[in-house]
């Protein structure tokens, strides 16, 4: 997941040096695959757009609900 430090909330906490120290704390807790980059608006917005494409939610349709109800009935019949 892509996030960025918010300087409006904590000006000191959003500095690159402090973010890097926080990353080391998170790694010590066992969280892997953390990366930090200095903020570049153009690059950040491009990455957010790409992330949104990968995490798009599919809307639930009536056909999906019918299929789920059918599966529930089959499971209910098997358990009796």
């Amino acid at each position: 997941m892509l996030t960025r430090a918010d300087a409006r909330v904590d000006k000191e906490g959003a500095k690159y040096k402090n973010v890097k120290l926080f990353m080391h704390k998170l790694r010590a807790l066992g969280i892997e695959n953390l990366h930090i980059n200095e903020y570049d608006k153009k690059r950040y917005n491009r990455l957010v757009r790409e992330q949104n494409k990968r995490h798009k939610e599919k809307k639930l349709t009536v056909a999906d609900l019918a299929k789920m109800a059918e599966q529930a009935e089959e499971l209910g019949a098997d358990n009796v």
Side-chain angles (χ1 to χ4, degrees):
M1 177 168 232
L2 184 64
T3 61
R4 72 179 180 125
D6 192 357
R8 293 175 294 183
V9 176
D10 183 12
K11 230 175 221 344
E12 286 297 310
K15 290 186 178 177
Y16 184 77
K17 181 180 90 173
N18 293 331
V19 172
K20 192 171 182 178
L21 290 172
F22 185 62
M23 180 191 68
H24 291 300
K25 288 180 184 179
L26 291 175
R27 282 195 177 149
L29 290 172
I31 300 174
E32 298 177 1
N33 297 326
L34 291 173
H35 305 280
I36 59 171
N37 296 311
E38 290 203 49
Y39 180 69
D40 175 26
K41 183 177 181 177
K42 193 172 191 177
R43 182 170 190 257
Y44 177 78
N45 288 337
R46 180 175 47 87
L47 291 172
V48 167
R49 280 193 304 274
E50 289 297 319
Q51 176 179 292
N52 289 340
K53 288 178 188 175
R54 288 192 307 273
H55 293 111
K56 242 182 203 174
E57 293 182 17
K58 288 175 64 176
K59 304 252 184 201
L60 202 58
T61 64
V62 175
D64 294 334
L65 289 173
K67 188 185 290 184
M68 289 166 47
E70 186 178 302
Q71 290 173 351
E73 287 176 14
E74 287 176 10
L75 288 174
D78 292 342
N79 290 336
V80 174

